[in-house]
Amino acid sequence: MGENARKKVIDNFTIDKFIKEYEMAYEFIMNRKAQEPIYLHSHMQQEAMEAS
């Protein structure tokens, strides 16, 4: 199980993907209206599910 978990992390959690998601979150926050609530967790969770 340890080897499978390591492979999953290496395949799915790359620095490029992290940077892309961080930039998307930053742009979303910077472009939103001040009164709108921020719901980033569900958006990022959905992308993570689509990638696996």
Side-chain angles (χ1 to χ4, degrees):
M1 182 171 158
E3 285 296 318
N4 289 336
R6 178 177 165 77
K7 182 177 179 350
K8 185 175 182 175
V9 168
I10 290 170
D11 291 344
N12 294 307
F13 297 97
T14 65
I15 190 69
D16 292 332
K17 185 173 181 177
F18 172 79
I19 290 171
K20 179 183 173 188
E21 290 180 5
Y22 187 90
E23 288 174 340
M24 288 172 48
Y26 180 83
E27 288 179 21
F28 176 80
I29 291 167
M30 295 307 293
N31 291 323
R32 73 178 182 84
K33 295 179 182 173
Q35 297 84 10
E36 295 176 358
I38 299 173
Y39 299 110
L40 291 178
H41 185 268
S42 62
H43 172 71
M44 290 181 182
Q45 191 175 39
Q46 180 183 2
E47 284 193 43
M49 290 171 50
E50 289 172 0
S52 60

